[in-house]
Amino acid sequence: MALKGLDIFKLSPKKNCKECGCPTCMAFSMKVAQGAVDIAACPYFAPEALAKLSAATEPPMKTIKVGAGDAELSLGGETVLFRHEKTFVSRTRYAMSLCTCMDDETVAQKLEDIKKVDYERIGERMFVEMVYVNYSADGKQDYVELVKKAAETGRILILDCKDAEIAKAALEVCKDGKPILNGADASNYEAMNAVATAAGVVLGVSGADLSEIHDTVEKLEGLGNKNLVIDVTGADVKETFKNAVQIRKAAIKDGDRTFGYPSIVNLHKIAAGDLHKQAALLSLFTMKYGSVIVAEHIGYAEALPLYGLRQNLFTDPQKPMKVEPGIYPLNGADENSVCLTTVDFALTYFLVSGELERSGVPVNLIINDAGGLSVLTSWAAGKFSSSSIAKFFQEQDIEGKIKSRKLIIPGKVAVLKGELEAKMPGWEIIIAPNEAVQLVKFMKDFA
Ligand code: SF4
Protein backbone atom coordinates (compact mmCIF):
# COMPACT_ATOMS: atom_id res chain seq x y z
CA MET A 1 0.00 0.00 0.00
CA ALA A 2 1.22 3.53 -0.76
CA LEU A 3 2.88 5.34 2.12
CA LYS A 4 1.57 8.62 3.54
CA GLY A 5 3.79 11.70 3.85
CA LEU A 6 3.75 11.39 7.62
CA ASP A 7 5.08 7.81 7.49
CA ILE A 8 7.97 8.98 5.35
CA PHE A 9 8.58 12.03 7.54
CA LYS A 10 8.89 9.79 10.64
CA LEU A 11 11.89 8.09 9.00
CA SER A 12 13.37 11.28 7.47
CA PRO A 13 16.66 12.82 8.77
CA LYS A 14 14.78 15.96 10.00
CA LYS A 15 17.76 18.22 9.21
CA ASN A 16 15.71 20.71 7.13
CA CYS A 17 18.90 21.43 5.16
CA LYS A 18 17.05 22.11 1.83
CA GLU A 19 19.61 20.12 -0.23
CA CYS A 20 16.77 18.17 -1.82
CA GLY A 21 15.24 21.40 -3.14
CA CYS A 22 12.40 21.35 -0.58
CA PRO A 23 12.24 23.86 2.29
CA THR A 24 11.75 21.18 4.98
CA CYS A 25 11.93 17.42 5.45
CA MET A 26 8.15 17.46 5.88
CA ALA A 27 7.65 19.13 2.47
CA PHE A 28 10.03 16.62 0.92
CA SER A 29 8.16 13.70 2.52
CA MET A 30 4.82 14.96 1.17
CA LYS A 31 6.27 15.20 -2.34
CA VAL A 32 7.76 11.72 -2.16
CA ALA A 33 4.37 10.38 -1.05
CA GLN A 34 2.73 12.04 -4.09
CA GLY A 35 5.34 10.46 -6.38
CA ALA A 36 6.58 13.93 -7.39
CA VAL A 37 10.16 13.40 -6.13
CA ASP A 38 12.42 10.38 -5.85
CA ILE A 39 13.44 9.57 -2.28
CA ALA A 40 17.05 9.36 -3.52
CA ALA A 41 17.01 13.20 -3.83
CA CYS A 42 17.81 13.33 -0.10
CA PRO A 43 21.32 12.07 0.62
CA TYR A 44 20.74 11.73 4.38
CA PHE A 45 18.17 8.96 4.80
CA ALA A 46 19.61 6.11 6.88
CA PRO A 47 20.14 2.90 4.83
CA GLU A 48 17.60 1.03 6.98
CA ALA A 49 15.00 3.75 6.43
CA LEU A 50 15.73 3.76 2.69
CA ALA A 51 15.38 0.00 2.46
CA LYS A 52 12.04 0.26 4.23
CA LEU A 53 10.76 3.12 2.08
CA SER A 54 12.25 2.53 -1.38
CA ALA A 55 9.95 -0.27 -2.46
CA ALA A 56 6.85 1.48 -1.11
CA THR A 57 7.69 4.85 -2.71
CA GLU A 58 8.60 3.48 -6.16
CA PRO A 59 6.40 4.84 -8.97
CA PRO A 60 3.59 2.39 -9.82
CA MET A 61 5.06 1.84 -13.28
CA LYS A 62 8.74 1.16 -13.80
CA THR A 63 10.86 3.28 -16.11
CA ILE A 64 12.56 1.01 -18.62
CA LYS A 65 15.54 2.21 -20.66
CA VAL A 66 16.07 0.99 -24.20
CA GLY A 67 18.69 1.91 -26.80
CA ALA A 68 22.26 2.95 -26.15
CA GLY A 69 24.23 6.19 -26.06
CA ASP A 70 22.50 9.15 -27.71
CA ALA A 71 19.70 6.88 -28.91
CA GLU A 72 18.71 5.80 -25.38
CA LEU A 73 15.02 6.31 -24.58
CA SER A 74 12.89 5.87 -21.48
CA LEU A 75 9.60 4.01 -21.56
CA GLY A 76 6.92 4.00 -18.85
CA GLY A 77 7.41 5.61 -15.44
CA GLU A 78 3.81 6.88 -15.59
CA THR A 79 2.06 7.90 -12.38
CA VAL A 80 -1.41 8.98 -13.57
CA LEU A 81 -4.16 7.68 -15.83
CA PHE A 82 -5.09 11.06 -17.27
CA ARG A 83 -2.75 13.83 -18.38
CA HIS A 84 -4.72 16.57 -16.57
CA GLU A 85 -4.15 14.84 -13.21
CA LYS A 86 -0.44 15.71 -13.39
CA THR A 87 1.50 14.93 -16.54
CA PHE A 88 2.46 11.95 -18.68
CA VAL A 89 6.15 11.14 -18.40
CA SER A 90 7.60 9.06 -21.26
CA ARG A 91 6.54 9.74 -24.83
CA THR A 92 5.01 6.95 -26.90
CA ARG A 93 7.65 5.72 -29.35
CA TYR A 94 6.92 4.49 -32.85
CA ALA A 95 8.34 1.55 -34.77
CA MET A 96 8.04 0.47 -38.39
CA SER A 97 7.93 -3.26 -39.00
CA LEU A 98 10.15 -5.41 -41.20
CA CYS A 99 9.65 -9.10 -41.89
CA THR A 100 11.65 -11.86 -43.58
CA CYS A 101 8.51 -12.41 -45.69
CA MET A 102 9.30 -9.16 -47.57
CA ASP A 103 11.41 -9.29 -50.73
CA ASP A 104 14.75 -7.42 -50.86
CA GLU A 105 13.28 -4.50 -52.77
CA THR A 106 10.50 -3.96 -50.20
CA VAL A 107 12.98 -4.18 -47.32
CA ALA A 108 15.28 -1.65 -49.00
CA GLN A 109 12.32 0.69 -49.62
CA LYS A 110 11.15 0.37 -46.00
CA LEU A 111 14.64 1.09 -44.68
CA GLU A 112 14.68 4.24 -46.83
CA ASP A 113 11.18 5.21 -45.66
CA ILE A 114 12.23 4.90 -42.01
CA LYS A 115 14.87 7.60 -42.57
CA LYS A 116 12.51 9.93 -44.46
CA VAL A 117 10.43 11.16 -41.52
CA ASP A 118 12.87 13.35 -39.62
CA TYR A 119 12.05 16.94 -38.69
CA GLU A 120 12.00 19.27 -35.71
CA ARG A 121 8.95 20.76 -34.03
CA ILE A 122 9.21 23.04 -30.99
CA GLY A 123 12.72 21.86 -30.23
CA GLU A 124 11.87 18.17 -30.47
CA ARG A 125 13.19 15.78 -33.13
CA MET A 126 10.33 13.88 -34.73
CA PHE A 127 11.35 10.60 -36.31
CA VAL A 128 10.60 6.88 -36.29
CA GLU A 129 12.64 5.84 -33.28
CA MET A 130 12.40 2.06 -33.59
CA VAL A 131 12.39 -0.78 -36.10
CA TYR A 132 10.44 -3.97 -35.42
CA VAL A 133 11.94 -7.10 -36.96
CA ASN A 134 9.81 -10.17 -37.41
CA TYR A 135 10.25 -13.53 -39.19
CA SER A 136 7.76 -15.67 -41.06
CA ALA A 137 7.36 -19.42 -40.56
CA ASP A 138 9.70 -20.21 -43.45
CA GLY A 139 12.03 -17.23 -42.99
CA LYS A 140 13.95 -18.15 -39.83
CA GLN A 141 17.24 -18.61 -41.70
CA ASP A 142 17.03 -15.03 -43.06
CA TYR A 143 16.30 -13.39 -39.70
CA VAL A 144 19.81 -12.50 -38.56
CA GLU A 145 20.59 -10.90 -41.95
CA LEU A 146 17.43 -8.79 -41.71
CA VAL A 147 18.29 -7.77 -38.13
CA LYS A 148 21.75 -6.68 -39.37
CA LYS A 149 20.19 -4.48 -42.06
CA ALA A 150 17.73 -2.97 -39.56
CA ALA A 151 20.57 -2.27 -37.10
CA GLU A 152 22.32 -0.19 -39.77
CA THR A 153 19.53 2.42 -39.48
CA GLY A 154 20.85 3.28 -36.00
CA ARG A 155 17.29 3.00 -34.65
CA ILE A 156 16.40 0.92 -31.59
CA LEU A 157 15.38 -2.58 -32.62
CA ILE A 158 12.52 -4.69 -31.34
CA LEU A 159 13.18 -8.35 -32.10
CA ASP A 160 9.95 -10.29 -32.50
CA CYS A 161 11.34 -13.73 -31.78
CA LYS A 162 10.10 -16.60 -29.62
CA ASP A 163 12.93 -19.03 -30.45
CA ALA A 164 15.77 -18.73 -27.92
CA GLU A 165 18.45 -19.97 -30.35
CA ILE A 166 17.46 -17.53 -33.10
CA ALA A 167 17.15 -14.74 -30.54
CA LYS A 168 20.67 -15.47 -29.32
CA ALA A 169 22.07 -15.27 -32.86
CA ALA A 170 20.13 -12.07 -33.63
CA LEU A 171 21.30 -10.41 -30.40
CA GLU A 172 24.90 -11.19 -31.31
CA VAL A 173 24.63 -8.66 -34.15
CA CYS A 174 22.64 -5.95 -32.35
CA LYS A 175 22.85 -6.27 -28.56
CA ASP A 176 25.15 -3.24 -28.22
CA GLY A 177 22.25 -1.07 -29.40
CA LYS A 178 20.18 -2.34 -26.43
CA PRO A 179 17.14 -3.58 -28.38
CA ILE A 180 13.98 -5.12 -26.93
CA LEU A 181 13.71 -8.88 -27.26
CA ASN A 182 9.96 -9.31 -27.60
CA GLY A 183 9.44 -13.03 -27.29
CA ALA A 184 8.74 -14.38 -23.79
CA ASP A 185 5.50 -16.21 -23.09
CA ALA A 186 4.26 -18.94 -20.79
CA SER A 187 5.94 -21.66 -22.84
CA ASN A 188 9.45 -20.24 -23.21
CA TYR A 189 10.01 -17.59 -20.52
CA GLU A 190 12.92 -19.37 -18.82
CA ALA A 191 14.95 -19.78 -22.01
CA MET A 192 14.14 -16.26 -23.25
CA ASN A 193 14.95 -14.82 -19.85
CA ALA A 194 18.39 -16.45 -19.97
CA VAL A 195 19.05 -15.02 -23.47
CA ALA A 196 17.82 -11.49 -22.62
CA THR A 197 19.67 -11.39 -19.30
CA ALA A 198 22.93 -12.59 -20.84
CA ALA A 199 22.68 -9.88 -23.52
CA GLY A 200 21.56 -7.23 -20.99
CA VAL A 201 18.43 -6.29 -22.97
CA VAL A 202 14.77 -5.65 -22.15
CA LEU A 203 12.48 -8.65 -22.50
CA GLY A 204 8.97 -8.35 -23.97
CA VAL A 205 6.26 -10.58 -22.49
CA SER A 206 3.08 -11.67 -24.24
CA GLY A 207 0.36 -14.24 -23.55
CA ALA A 208 -3.00 -15.64 -24.57
CA ASP A 209 -4.76 -13.27 -22.15
CA LEU A 210 -4.00 -10.87 -19.29
CA SER A 211 -4.09 -13.60 -16.67
CA GLU A 212 -1.42 -15.60 -18.52
CA ILE A 213 0.70 -12.46 -19.00
CA HIS A 214 0.37 -11.69 -15.27
CA ASP A 215 1.56 -15.20 -14.36
CA THR A 216 4.51 -15.03 -16.76
CA VAL A 217 5.61 -11.60 -15.50
CA GLU A 218 5.41 -12.89 -11.91
CA LYS A 219 7.58 -15.86 -12.83
CA LEU A 220 10.13 -13.64 -14.61
CA GLU A 221 10.24 -11.32 -11.59
CA GLY A 222 10.77 -14.42 -9.48
CA LEU A 223 13.81 -15.17 -11.64
CA GLY A 224 15.09 -11.67 -10.83
CA ASN A 225 14.18 -9.99 -14.14
CA LYS A 226 12.38 -6.64 -13.80
CA ASN A 227 13.67 -5.29 -17.10
CA LEU A 228 10.44 -6.03 -18.94
CA VAL A 229 7.82 -4.62 -21.28
CA ILE A 230 4.37 -6.12 -21.83
CA ASP A 231 3.07 -6.82 -25.32
CA VAL A 232 -0.65 -6.10 -24.90
CA THR A 233 -1.60 -6.98 -28.49
CA GLY A 234 -4.68 -9.19 -28.46
CA ALA A 235 -6.67 -10.97 -31.15
CA ASP A 236 -8.25 -7.76 -32.45
CA VAL A 237 -8.44 -4.00 -31.83
CA LYS A 238 -11.09 -4.35 -29.10
CA GLU A 239 -9.10 -6.86 -27.07
CA THR A 240 -5.85 -4.91 -27.52
CA PHE A 241 -7.51 -1.70 -26.34
CA LYS A 242 -9.02 -3.49 -23.33
CA ASN A 243 -5.63 -5.01 -22.45
CA ALA A 244 -3.79 -1.68 -22.74
CA VAL A 245 -6.30 0.11 -20.50
CA GLN A 246 -6.61 -2.70 -17.96
CA ILE A 247 -2.91 -3.13 -17.30
CA ARG A 248 -2.44 0.64 -16.95
CA LYS A 249 -5.41 0.85 -14.54
CA ALA A 250 -4.23 -2.16 -12.57
CA ALA A 251 -0.74 -0.66 -12.17
CA ILE A 252 -1.74 2.88 -11.35
CA LYS A 253 -5.09 2.68 -9.60
CA ASP A 254 -4.85 -0.76 -7.97
CA GLY A 255 -1.10 -0.65 -7.27
CA ASP A 256 -0.53 -4.00 -9.04
CA ARG A 257 3.19 -3.74 -9.74
CA THR A 258 3.23 -6.95 -11.75
CA PHE A 259 1.49 -4.93 -14.47
CA GLY A 260 3.67 -1.88 -13.76
CA TYR A 261 5.64 -2.08 -17.03
CA PRO A 262 5.53 -0.15 -20.32
CA SER A 263 3.51 -1.67 -23.15
CA ILE A 264 3.96 -2.63 -26.80
CA VAL A 265 1.06 -2.52 -29.28
CA ASN A 266 1.51 -4.31 -32.61
CA LEU A 267 -0.80 -2.77 -35.18
CA HIS A 268 0.44 -5.01 -37.97
CA LYS A 269 -1.10 -7.92 -36.05
CA ILE A 270 -4.56 -6.36 -35.54
CA ALA A 271 -4.94 -4.25 -38.69
CA ALA A 272 -2.63 -5.95 -41.18
CA GLY A 273 -2.46 -4.27 -44.57
CA ASP A 274 -4.93 -1.49 -43.66
CA LEU A 275 -2.69 1.57 -43.43
CA HIS A 276 -5.57 4.02 -42.92
CA LYS A 277 -6.85 2.00 -39.97
CA GLN A 278 -3.30 1.79 -38.60
CA ALA A 279 -2.98 5.60 -38.87
CA ALA A 280 -6.15 5.99 -36.77
CA LEU A 281 -4.99 3.34 -34.28
CA LEU A 282 -1.60 5.03 -33.91
CA SER A 283 -3.44 8.04 -32.48
CA LEU A 284 -5.78 5.91 -30.35
CA PHE A 285 -2.98 3.94 -28.70
CA THR A 286 -0.84 7.06 -28.24
CA MET A 287 -3.64 8.30 -25.99
CA LYS A 288 -4.47 4.88 -24.45
CA TYR A 289 -1.70 3.65 -23.44
CA GLY A 290 0.93 2.34 -25.84
CA SER A 291 4.51 2.95 -24.76
CA VAL A 292 5.70 1.59 -28.12
CA ILE A 293 3.40 1.25 -31.16
CA VAL A 294 4.44 -0.81 -34.17
CA ALA A 295 2.97 0.06 -37.58
CA GLU A 296 3.66 -1.15 -41.10
CA HIS A 297 4.33 2.34 -42.40
CA ILE A 298 4.81 5.84 -40.99
CA GLY A 299 5.29 8.49 -43.67
CA TYR A 300 4.93 12.27 -43.40
CA ALA A 301 1.17 12.07 -43.91
CA GLU A 302 0.84 9.89 -40.80
CA ALA A 303 3.65 11.56 -38.84
CA LEU A 304 2.58 15.22 -38.97
CA PRO A 305 -0.74 14.87 -37.09
CA LEU A 306 0.51 11.96 -34.96
CA TYR A 307 3.67 13.62 -33.66
CA GLY A 308 1.75 16.85 -33.06
CA LEU A 309 -0.76 14.88 -30.97
CA ARG A 310 2.05 13.18 -29.06
CA GLN A 311 3.78 16.46 -28.38
CA ASN A 312 0.59 17.99 -26.99
CA LEU A 313 -0.13 14.92 -24.88
CA PHE A 314 3.33 14.52 -23.39
CA THR A 315 4.05 18.10 -22.45
CA ASP A 316 3.47 19.17 -18.89
CA PRO A 317 0.10 21.00 -18.81
CA GLN A 318 1.50 23.23 -16.06
CA LYS A 319 4.33 24.51 -18.27
CA PRO A 320 3.65 26.63 -21.38
CA MET A 321 4.96 25.38 -24.70
CA LYS A 322 7.78 27.66 -25.75
CA VAL A 323 10.17 28.09 -28.63
CA GLU A 324 13.75 29.22 -28.19
CA PRO A 325 14.07 33.03 -28.08
CA GLY A 326 16.38 34.48 -30.75
CA ILE A 327 16.53 35.60 -34.39
CA TYR A 328 14.79 33.43 -37.01
CA PRO A 329 15.66 34.64 -40.56
CA LEU A 330 12.76 33.72 -42.87
CA ASN A 331 12.51 33.69 -46.68
CA GLY A 332 16.27 34.20 -47.08
CA ALA A 333 16.40 37.26 -44.80
CA ASP A 334 19.80 38.88 -44.19
CA GLU A 335 21.08 41.71 -41.99
CA ASN A 336 19.34 44.31 -44.16
CA SER A 337 15.89 42.71 -43.93
CA VAL A 338 13.12 44.18 -41.82
CA CYS A 339 12.60 42.80 -38.27
CA LEU A 340 9.32 41.61 -36.79
CA THR A 341 9.11 40.78 -33.12
CA THR A 342 6.70 38.67 -31.11
CA VAL A 343 6.57 36.32 -28.10
CA ASP A 344 7.94 32.79 -27.55
CA PHE A 345 4.53 31.09 -27.06
CA ALA A 346 4.76 28.13 -29.45
CA LEU A 347 1.33 28.63 -30.99
CA THR A 348 2.09 32.30 -31.70
CA TYR A 349 5.43 31.37 -33.24
CA PHE A 350 3.92 28.79 -35.59
CA LEU A 351 1.02 31.02 -36.66
CA VAL A 352 3.21 34.07 -37.26
CA SER A 353 6.15 32.27 -38.89
CA GLY A 354 3.74 30.33 -41.15
CA GLU A 355 2.07 33.51 -42.41
CA LEU A 356 5.41 35.29 -42.83
CA GLU A 357 6.73 32.37 -44.86
CA ARG A 358 3.59 32.48 -47.00
CA SER A 359 4.23 36.16 -47.74
CA GLY A 360 7.60 35.29 -49.29
CA VAL A 361 9.05 38.57 -47.98
CA PRO A 362 12.49 38.28 -46.32
CA VAL A 363 12.08 39.13 -42.63
CA ASN A 364 14.03 38.58 -39.41
CA LEU A 365 11.55 37.15 -36.92
CA ILE A 366 12.80 38.08 -33.45
CA ILE A 367 11.32 35.90 -30.71
CA ASN A 368 11.38 37.50 -27.26
CA ASP A 369 11.71 35.63 -24.01
CA ALA A 370 8.15 36.21 -22.73
CA GLY A 371 7.80 33.16 -20.48
CA GLY A 372 5.92 31.16 -23.12
CA LEU A 373 2.82 33.37 -22.81
CA SER A 374 0.66 34.78 -25.62
CA VAL A 375 1.06 38.41 -26.76
CA LEU A 376 -1.66 39.99 -24.63
CA THR A 377 -1.07 37.78 -21.58
CA SER A 378 2.66 38.47 -21.57
CA TRP A 379 2.02 42.19 -22.13
CA ALA A 380 -0.40 42.21 -19.15
CA ALA A 381 2.19 40.31 -17.07
CA GLY A 382 4.93 42.81 -17.98
CA LYS A 383 6.90 40.15 -19.89
CA PHE A 384 6.40 41.73 -23.32
CA SER A 385 6.75 45.41 -22.56
CA SER A 386 8.83 48.18 -24.13
CA SER A 387 11.44 47.66 -21.37
CA SER A 388 11.62 43.88 -21.80
CA ILE A 389 11.85 44.16 -25.61
CA ALA A 390 14.58 46.84 -25.41
CA LYS A 391 16.46 44.76 -22.83
CA PHE A 392 16.16 41.62 -24.95
CA PHE A 393 17.48 43.45 -28.03
CA GLN A 394 20.45 44.63 -25.98
CA GLU A 395 21.20 41.21 -24.44
CA GLN A 396 20.98 39.48 -27.83
CA ASP A 397 23.04 42.24 -29.52
CA ILE A 398 20.38 42.56 -32.24
CA GLU A 399 21.82 45.92 -33.37
CA GLY A 400 25.23 44.29 -33.83
CA LYS A 401 23.75 41.44 -35.88
CA ILE A 402 21.15 43.29 -37.99
CA LYS A 403 21.64 46.57 -39.89
CA SER A 404 17.95 47.23 -40.63
CA ARG A 405 16.31 49.57 -38.14
CA LYS A 406 12.71 48.80 -39.05
CA LEU A 407 10.86 46.84 -36.38
CA ILE A 408 7.30 45.54 -36.80
CA ILE A 409 5.42 44.87 -33.55
CA PRO A 410 2.12 42.97 -33.05
CA GLY A 411 -1.00 45.10 -33.63
CA LYS A 412 -2.38 44.00 -30.24
CA VAL A 413 0.43 45.88 -28.47
CA ALA A 414 0.35 48.99 -30.69
CA VAL A 415 0.35 50.94 -27.44
CA LEU A 416 4.09 50.14 -27.09
CA LYS A 417 5.09 52.14 -30.20
CA GLY A 418 5.84 55.45 -28.47
CA GLU A 419 7.69 53.85 -25.54
CA LEU A 420 9.78 51.68 -27.88
CA GLU A 421 10.76 54.67 -30.02
CA ALA A 422 11.95 56.39 -26.84
CA LYS A 423 13.82 53.34 -25.49
CA MET A 424 15.28 52.17 -28.81
CA PRO A 425 16.48 55.33 -30.56
CA GLY A 426 17.11 54.97 -34.28
CA TRP A 427 14.45 52.26 -34.74
CA GLU A 428 11.35 52.90 -36.80
CA ILE A 429 8.49 51.08 -35.07
CA ILE A 430 5.77 49.80 -37.40
CA ILE A 431 2.44 48.37 -36.25
CA ALA A 432 1.41 44.99 -37.71
CA PRO A 433 -2.26 43.98 -38.10
CA ASN A 434 -4.07 42.43 -35.13
CA GLU A 435 -4.37 38.95 -36.61
CA ALA A 436 -1.61 36.72 -38.01
CA VAL A 437 -3.79 35.83 -41.00
CA GLN A 438 -3.55 39.47 -42.18
CA LEU A 439 0.26 39.34 -42.26
CA VAL A 440 0.62 38.04 -45.83
CA LYS A 441 -1.05 41.10 -47.41
CA PHE A 442 0.59 43.43 -44.89
CA MET A 443 4.10 42.13 -45.65
CA LYS A 444 3.55 42.17 -49.41
CA ASP A 445 2.30 45.79 -49.23
CA PHE A 446 5.21 46.64 -46.95
CA ALA A 447 7.80 45.17 -49.33
FE1 SF4 B 1 15.46 16.97 4.90
FE2 SF4 B 1 16.98 15.44 3.36
FE3 SF4 B 1 15.69 17.47 2.27
FE4 SF4 B 1 17.73 17.92 3.91
S1 SF4 B 1 17.84 16.92 1.92
S2 SF4 B 1 15.73 18.96 3.90
S3 SF4 B 1 17.51 16.25 5.34
S4 SF4 B 1 14.76 15.70 3.23
Side-chain angles (χ1 to χ4, degrees):
M1 204 170 92
L3 282 179
K4 296 204 173 73
L6 216 51
D7 302 323
I8 300 167
F9 176 66
K10 281 180 193 160
L11 295 169
S12 76
K14 303 188 186 67
K15 286 160 74 95
N16 295 333
C17 67
K18 304 187 177 65
E19 279 183 45
C20 56
C22 297
T24 60
C25 294
M26 175 55 112
F28 177 77
S29 305
M30 300 308 281
K31 282 198 171 180
V32 172
Q34 290 161 6
V37 177
D38 189 337
I39 196 158
C42 168
Y44 301 114
F45 266 87
E48 314 80 63
L50 265 186
K52 208 166 167 187
L53 293 172
S54 288
T57 55
E58 262 177 16
M61 179 186 284
K62 288 177 191 61
T63 300
I64 300 293
K65 305 264 186 201
V66 294
D70 291 347
E72 186 182 87
L73 297 173
S74 295
L75 305 174
E78 305 300 338
T79 57
V80 292
L81 273 185
F82 304 104
R83 176 186 181 261
H84 62 261
E85 290 177 296
K86 193 170 166 197
T87 181
F88 287 158
V89 179
S90 302
R91 280 165 167 60
T92 300
R93 303 296 175 177
Y94 304 112
M96 259 168 74
S97 58
L98 291 179
C99 176
T100 55
C101 55
M102 294 169 182
D103 59 35
D104 288 351
E105 205 180 313
T106 311
V107 169
Q109 185 59 52
K110 286 226 163 208
L111 290 170
E112 273 310 302
D113 289 350
I114 286 164
K115 291 184 219 152
K116 275 185 193 159
V117 173
D118 201 338
Y119 62 97
E120 197 175 299
R121 184 176 190 268
I122 321 182
E124 183 186 342
R125 184 180 171 206
M126 306 297 192
F127 66 112
V128 179
E129 298 101 343
M130 296 184 167
V131 184
Y132 195 92
V133 195
N134 181 26
Y135 59 81
S136 55
D138 57 355
K140 290 183 180 179
Q141 69 287 352
D142 301 325
Y143 191 58
V144 175
E145 267 316 299
L146 187 60
V147 169
K148 255 191 218 166
K149 284 184 189 168
E152 283 164 15
T153 60
R155 309 296 158 96
I156 300 165
L157 301 190
I158 307 171
L159 307 180
D160 183 358
C161 178
K162 288 187 187 294
D163 183 313
E165 283 312 308
I166 298 173
K168 211 167 165 183
L171 282 169
E172 276 309 311
V173 300
C174 69
K175 67 180 174 195
D176 291 345
K178 297 288 172 200
I180 297 172
L181 173 58
N182 190 34
D185 61 22
S187 67
N188 68 1
Y189 71 90
E190 281 170 307
M192 296 304 280
N193 179 54
V195 175
T197 311
V201 301
V202 175
L203 183 60
V205 185
S206 59
D209 53 34
L210 285 185
S211 154
E212 191 178 296
I213 292 174
H214 198 273
D215 285 351
T216 309
V217 172
E218 263 181 347
K219 285 173 183 160
L220 284 162
E221 287 184 330
L223 293 171
N225 192 349
K226 292 191 175 180
N227 201 18
L228 306 172
V229 293
I230 297 177
D231 187 336
V232 298
T233 315
D236 52 25
V237 174
K238 191 176 169 190
E239 191 182 328
T240 306
F241 183 76
K242 189 191 77 187
N243 289 350
V245 173
Q246 281 195 353
I247 71 154
R248 182 67 64 96
K249 266 179 139 173
I252 289 175
K253 286 285 172 228
D254 307 337
D256 181 351
R257 300 218 164 157
T258 307
F259 272 156
Y261 291 96
S263 64
I264 295 182
V265 176
N266 270 319
L267 299 184
H268 67 101
K269 290 190 179 168
I270 53 174
D274 189 340
L275 298 187
H276 292 305
K277 191 170 177 182
Q278 289 188 28
L281 293 176
L282 277 162
S283 297
L284 174 72
F285 285 105
T286 297
M287 293 185 282
K288 300 270 176 201
Y289 289 112
S291 306
V292 176
I293 310 177
V294 184
E296 286 174 63
H297 185 263
I298 301 176
Y300 266 103
E302 292 84 11
L304 288 172
L306 178 67
Y307 286 62
L309 170 76
R310 181 182 75 174
Q311 195 168 44
N312 285 327
L313 204 59
F314 285 87
T315 43
D316 188 339
Q318 295 162 61
K319 290 185 193 154
M321 284 173 78
K322 295 171 63 174
V323 291
E324 201 55 41
I327 306 171
Y328 292 77
L330 303 177
N331 303 326
D334 60 20
E335 57 185 10
N336 296 310
S337 306
V338 65
C339 301
L340 183 148
T341 195
T342 189
V343 294
D344 56 351
F345 178 42
L347 190 58
T348 302
Y349 170 82
F350 282 108
L351 282 172
V352 171
S353 64
E355 296 301 326
L356 290 175
E357 277 170 354
R358 266 196 330 124
S359 77
V361 177
V363 53
N364 289 303
L365 177 58
I366 298 175
I367 297 295
N368 278 259
D369 184 356
L373 303 173
S374 67
V375 170
L376 281 180
T377 314
S378 57
W379 171 71
K383 294 186 175 200
F384 190 54
S385 62
S386 56
S387 305
S388 71
I389 295 171
K391 190 166 165 238
F392 182 78
F393 270 55
Q394 212 172 19
E395 285 170 357
Q396 297 283 319
D397 187 24
I398 304 287
E399 292 194 0
K401 292 171 185 164
I402 293 174
K403 286 187 184 152
S404 167
R405 291 292 177 267
K406 289 182 195 293
L407 176 62
I408 303 169
I409 62 170
K412 285 183 176 153
V413 288
V415 68
L416 296 179
K417 179 175 161 64
E419 291 174 16
L420 277 171
E421 280 167 348
K423 286 179 181 155
M424 295 169 58
W427 284 87
E428 181 190 346
I429 308 298
I430 301 150
I431 311 290
N434 271 350
E435 303 301 333
V437 73
Q438 298 165 304
L439 275 173
V440 176
K441 182 173 183 313
F442 172 81
M443 291 305 291
K444 282 183 175 164
D445 293 348
F446 182 81

